[in-house]
Amino acid sequence: MGSLLQIENLHVSVEGKSILKGVQLEIRQGEIHALMGPNGSGKSTLAYALVGHPKYEVTAGKIEVDGVNLLDLDPNERARLGLFLAFQYPVVIPGVKVADFLRHAVSNIRKPDRKEGEGLIPMREFRKELRERMEALGMDTEFARRYLNEGFSGGEKKRMEILQMAMLKPKFAILDETDSGLDSDAVRVVSEGLQKLAGPDTGVLIITHHERLLEFNKPHHTHVMLGGRIVESGDSALAHKLHEEGYAEIRARHPQAAAENAAHEEALTATTAS
Amino acid sequence: MSGTIAAATLPPSFDARAFEQFVSHRSEPTWLTERRRQAFSQFEELSHSSLDEEEWKRIDLRSFRPERYEIRNTLPAQSTFDLLLADRTEFGGRVTHIDGCTQASQLDGTLRKQGVIFGSLQDVLQAHPDLLQDYWMQRAVPNGRDRFSAWHAAFCTGGTVLYVPKGVDVEAPLYSFIGLASENAADLSHTLVILENGASATLLEETASANPDLSGLHIGAVELLVGDGAHLQYVQLQNWGTKVCHFAHQAGRVAGNGSLRWTVGGLGARIAHIHQDVFLDGPAAEAQVNGVTFASEKQLISYYTQQTHAAPFTRSDLLYKQVLRDRARGIWRGMIRVDEGAQKTDGYQRNDTLLLSGDSRADAIPGLEIEADDVRCTHGATAGRVDEEQIFYCMARGISEMEAKHMIVEGFFQTVLDRIPVEVVRETLNRAVEKKLGIERLQGV
Ligand SMILES: Nc1ncnc2c1ncn2[C@@H]1O[C@H](COP(=O)(O)OP(=O)(O)OP(=O)(O)O)[C@@H](O)[C@H]1O
Ligand SMILES: [Mg+2]
């Protein structure tokens, strides 16, 4: 039996505002889960809370990997336990080369007891591995020498997230809209890349509004988030149905959650407008 | 308040008697002794008037006690230094000074045959008594600019001189070291570089204290004179211990089609204030200025930079990056001046500051004074904390918070390091930054 990521009755607030209101989810290594839901329903919030973003405060519930409580752990400790998030909006780290960044990251993940200044994985070995991974993802190896995400196009940033996943080989990978902003060739490359990576040793949570990523990576389970809760779950047919028909039916079946989601969406438009 | 040193009477170690004694012990050409005398009377005079408000108002000199320091006439018996640049590459020549006295000087024989002169100020004055007369404090840093330049000219203890004749290309970098090894020693060393037309050279200079707790004083001057079509690269890495006071006038003049690439590293000293000038005198002259500063604890590191465009088609490009930690203070006041005739000038200045603590403080004030009407001048300054989202992103990849901050700091400096073509300088600065961050490198990269 592989590892198990357990999310139980999770409540999360951001800046004092309650966003997640009791999320229930279990992901096992080797499983693919799709998480769908309208804008502002709390999908990214769940992703951030899982990897331990300091702004996302867990007010109730638990997150565990094989019984180990993640809530007491810093993001880097969670990463060393095998959690990975492909960011919806990857961050630029000026002046830090992709290769240097990844060499540090990989060294920490593979040698969790490593201390700063020591035990970096050997350069040769690292370079070779990086080059192979980049080629497999159809990336120009020149990117290794560029500063992380600086001046990258939206699609390049997303590809860089997948490259990082490929190098770090997480037990649990959360992909937050990794397919958005990609042209159709790039979606294909990323989908195929993910398909190769997501074997029996990886549990994957794919957050998406599209279907392409799911074509290559057929979800075993699909969940719908609305107003900070998972309101319905099903198999891959549910993902397809939602994609075809939208969320009207779901909203109708869950009026309370729909109302709360609408409130968020209004707030969202208000902030973008101001 | 802070602008004046209370100096109604000169400290005994730098008063009229001390001066007479100082010059009597030096066998120097008459022109230099005379110039020193003139400078001494300027020093007396300027010590009674206040310093330029604009330049000094943010610098608290109350803890600066000139009476504490004195000039040594002999080398210390023994001293060792932890140097950043000294053994990093093959140098074409090297000159080292400790406590204001020259310790050693050496120049590659081939360069000597080509007419290159590189050595201590005293040796060069001995061998070529008149060579420096038209240069030493005549073109780039005038004696009478303020009390520190006058002080320097009167009591100049020596220094490093580089002269490259017309058309000679000195390929290997040259090295100059200025050290302080005795408690309260004063160093008033001068760096003078003269490149004749079409010549080129690279001079790497560093300063250091034999131990970090030594109190000391440096009142320096750097003069870089770049001829027509000549190309100079000059690096000064200020790495004194944190009980040293450092005041310097540093100026470069670039003639037509010449270029100056100048990198300053500011890591050490308790108080450091540098007046740095570049003058673009001839058409199409170019200057690039790079600054890397990292102040911690209670250090104050201050720069007053000026880029003066006096001829058309000249270009200047200044980028300073500073990191401040603990209770450190960083001050940068920049100015681009463009004279009336300097059309088609391109001037750029920028200072970025990264604050690593809530108690550190940065002042960055860019400025422009433009009298020509067809120019392009841009300036900017930013200051901010390490971005929390960047730290989180690194942590989400398994990197600890501390290591993430260190990476972000190194990345912050990277953009200025990228401008420095000499690899050994980039590496050295990087290592210096890591050392200051407290990263012990146990395994090579
Ligand atoms: N850092 C934050 N500060 C303030 N509000 C936030 C923050 N993060 C999320 N929220 C709010 O929480 C709610 C859920 O946002 P979240 O980003 O989780 O939605 P989402 O389901 O990922 O939406 P989308 O499909 O648009 O990506 C929104 O109302 C949003 O404004
Ligand atoms: Mg989202």
Side-chain angles (χ1 to χ4, degrees), chain B residues 93-108:
Chain B
R94 55 173 80 210
V95 183
T96 57
H97 313 275
I98 299 170
D99 292 347
C101 308
T102 302
Q103 187 203 32
S105 144
Q106 170 260 318
L107 175 67
D108 177 87

mmCIF file of all heavy atoms in Angstrom, chain B residues 93-108:
data_model
loop_
_atom_site.group_PDB
_atom_site.id
_atom_site.type_symbol
_atom_site.label_atom_id
_atom_site.label_comp_id
_atom_site.label_asym_id
_atom_site.label_seq_id
_atom_site.Cartn_x
_atom_site.Cartn_y
_atom_site.Cartn_z
ATOM 1 N N GLY B 93 51.757 41.954 -11.767
ATOM 2 C CA GLY B 93 52.569 42.690 -10.801
ATOM 3 C C GLY B 93 51.767 42.913 -9.545
ATOM 4 O O GLY B 93 50.537 42.826 -9.576
ATOM 5 N N ARG B 94 52.470 43.143 -8.439
ATOM 6 C CA ARG B 94 51.732 43.438 -7.213
ATOM 7 C C ARG B 94 52.491 44.383 -6.311
ATOM 8 O O ARG B 94 53.722 44.381 -6.261
ATOM 9 C CB ARG B 94 51.334 42.169 -6.476
ATOM 10 C CG ARG B 94 52.470 41.213 -6.138
ATOM 11 C CD ARG B 94 51.939 40.087 -5.262
ATOM 12 N NE ARG B 94 51.254 39.065 -6.052
ATOM 13 C CZ ARG B 94 50.244 38.313 -5.605
ATOM 14 N NH1 ARG B 94 49.774 38.498 -4.391
ATOM 15 N NH2 ARG B 94 49.702 37.395 -6.363
ATOM 16 N N VAL B 95 51.712 45.216 -5.624
ATOM 17 C CA VAL B 95 52.264 46.158 -4.663
ATOM 18 C C VAL B 95 51.446 46.004 -3.390
ATOM 19 O O VAL B 95 50.215 45.957 -3.439
ATOM 20 C CB VAL B 95 52.138 47.614 -5.165
ATOM 21 C CG1 VAL B 95 52.782 48.572 -4.178
ATOM 22 C CG2 VAL B 95 52.778 47.773 -6.535
ATOM 23 N N THR B 96 52.133 45.894 -2.243
ATOM 24 C CA THR B 96 51.383 45.764 -0.991
ATOM 25 C C THR B 96 51.862 46.781 0.033
ATOM 26 O O THR B 96 53.060 47.050 0.160
ATOM 27 C CB THR B 96 51.509 44.345 -0.401
ATOM 28 O OG1 THR B 96 52.887 44.034 -0.214
ATOM 29 C CG2 THR B 96 50.908 43.299 -1.326
ATOM 30 N N HIS B 97 50.916 47.325 0.748
ATOM 31 C CA HIS B 97 51.197 48.321 1.777
ATOM 32 C C HIS B 97 50.550 47.871 3.078
ATOM 33 O O HIS B 97 49.409 47.408 3.079
ATOM 34 C CB HIS B 97 50.581 49.675 1.437
ATOM 35 C CG HIS B 97 50.832 50.120 0.038
ATOM 36 N ND1 HIS B 97 51.965 50.780 -0.342
ATOM 37 C CD2 HIS B 97 50.084 49.991 -1.093
ATOM 38 C CE1 HIS B 97 51.916 51.041 -1.629
ATOM 39 N NE2 HIS B 97 50.785 50.572 -2.115
ATOM 40 N N ILE B 98 51.283 48.033 4.175
ATOM 41 C CA ILE B 98 50.699 47.750 5.489
ATOM 42 C C ILE B 98 50.988 48.935 6.401
ATOM 43 O O ILE B 98 52.118 49.429 6.454
ATOM 44 C CB ILE B 98 51.268 46.444 6.080
ATOM 45 C CG1 ILE B 98 50.914 45.275 5.143
ATOM 46 C CG2 ILE B 98 50.698 46.195 7.477
ATOM 47 C CD1 ILE B 98 51.611 43.996 5.473
ATOM 48 N N ASP B 99 49.967 49.373 7.099
ATOM 49 C CA ASP B 99 50.067 50.542 7.985
ATOM 50 C C ASP B 99 50.711 51.735 7.280
ATOM 51 O O ASP B 99 51.511 52.470 7.860
ATOM 52 C CB ASP B 99 50.875 50.202 9.250
ATOM 53 C CG ASP B 99 50.124 49.217 10.147
ATOM 54 O OD1 ASP B 99 48.921 49.002 9.912
ATOM 55 O OD2 ASP B 99 50.749 48.674 11.079
ATOM 56 N N GLY B 100 50.391 51.929 6.031
ATOM 57 C CA GLY B 100 50.899 53.083 5.300
ATOM 58 C C GLY B 100 52.328 52.928 4.793
ATOM 59 O O GLY B 100 52.870 53.846 4.178
ATOM 60 N N CYS B 101 52.965 51.773 5.060
ATOM 61 C CA CYS B 101 54.335 51.555 4.586
ATOM 62 C C CYS B 101 54.320 50.479 3.509
ATOM 63 O O CYS B 101 53.592 49.498 3.617
ATOM 64 C CB CYS B 101 55.234 51.086 5.729
ATOM 65 S SG CYS B 101 55.143 52.144 7.172
ATOM 66 N N THR B 102 55.142 50.664 2.491
ATOM 67 C CA THR B 102 55.163 49.666 1.432
ATOM 68 C C THR B 102 55.886 48.416 1.904
ATOM 69 O O THR B 102 56.961 48.479 2.477
ATOM 70 C CB THR B 102 55.868 50.230 0.195
ATOM 71 O OG1 THR B 102 55.162 51.414 -0.191
ATOM 72 C CG2 THR B 102 55.835 49.234 -0.944
ATOM 73 N N GLN B 103 55.243 47.277 1.655
ATOM 74 C CA GLN B 103 55.837 46.021 2.107
ATOM 75 C C GLN B 103 56.580 45.332 0.966
ATOM 76 O O GLN B 103 57.660 44.816 1.151
ATOM 77 C CB GLN B 103 54.727 45.105 2.643
ATOM 78 C CG GLN B 103 55.263 43.852 3.297
ATOM 79 C CD GLN B 103 54.225 42.755 3.292
ATOM 80 O OE1 GLN B 103 53.393 42.650 2.392
ATOM 81 N NE2 GLN B 103 54.272 41.920 4.313
ATOM 82 N N ALA B 104 55.974 45.350 -0.202
ATOM 83 C CA ALA B 104 56.602 44.675 -1.326
ATOM 84 C C ALA B 104 56.060 45.247 -2.618
ATOM 85 O O ALA B 104 54.971 45.828 -2.650
ATOM 86 C CB ALA B 104 56.305 43.181 -1.266
ATOM 87 N N SER B 105 56.850 45.067 -3.670
ATOM 88 C CA SER B 105 56.410 45.570 -4.964
ATOM 89 C C SER B 105 57.110 44.767 -6.046
ATOM 90 O O SER B 105 58.293 44.454 -5.935
ATOM 91 C CB SER B 105 56.745 47.063 -5.024
ATOM 92 O OG SER B 105 57.125 47.450 -6.303
ATOM 93 N N GLN B 106 56.377 44.405 -7.063
ATOM 94 C CA GLN B 106 56.942 43.526 -8.087
ATOM 95 C C GLN B 106 56.196 43.729 -9.392
ATOM 96 O O GLN B 106 54.991 44.010 -9.385
ATOM 97 C CB GLN B 106 56.820 42.079 -7.553
ATOM 98 C CG GLN B 106 57.105 40.954 -8.500
ATOM 99 C CD GLN B 106 55.827 40.353 -9.056
ATOM 100 O OE1 GLN B 106 54.857 40.156 -8.326
ATOM 101 N NE2 GLN B 106 55.829 40.084 -10.346
ATOM 102 N N LEU B 107 56.932 43.655 -10.495
ATOM 103 C CA LEU B 107 56.306 43.799 -11.811
ATOM 104 C C LEU B 107 56.971 42.853 -12.798
ATOM 105 O O LEU B 107 58.197 42.714 -12.823
ATOM 106 C CB LEU B 107 56.438 45.250 -12.314
ATOM 107 C CG LEU B 107 55.929 45.523 -13.734
ATOM 108 C CD1 LEU B 107 54.423 45.364 -13.832
ATOM 109 C CD2 LEU B 107 56.330 46.921 -14.197
ATOM 110 N N ASP B 108 56.164 42.237 -13.588
ATOM 111 C CA ASP B 108 56.618 41.333 -14.651
ATOM 112 C C ASP B 108 57.647 42.028 -15.557
ATOM 113 O O ASP B 108 57.444 43.173 -15.972
ATOM 114 C CB ASP B 108 55.364 40.937 -15.444
ATOM 115 C CG ASP B 108 55.678 40.063 -16.620
ATOM 116 O OD1 ASP B 108 55.739 38.840 -16.423
ATOM 117 O OD2 ASP B 108 55.864 40.609 -17.730
#
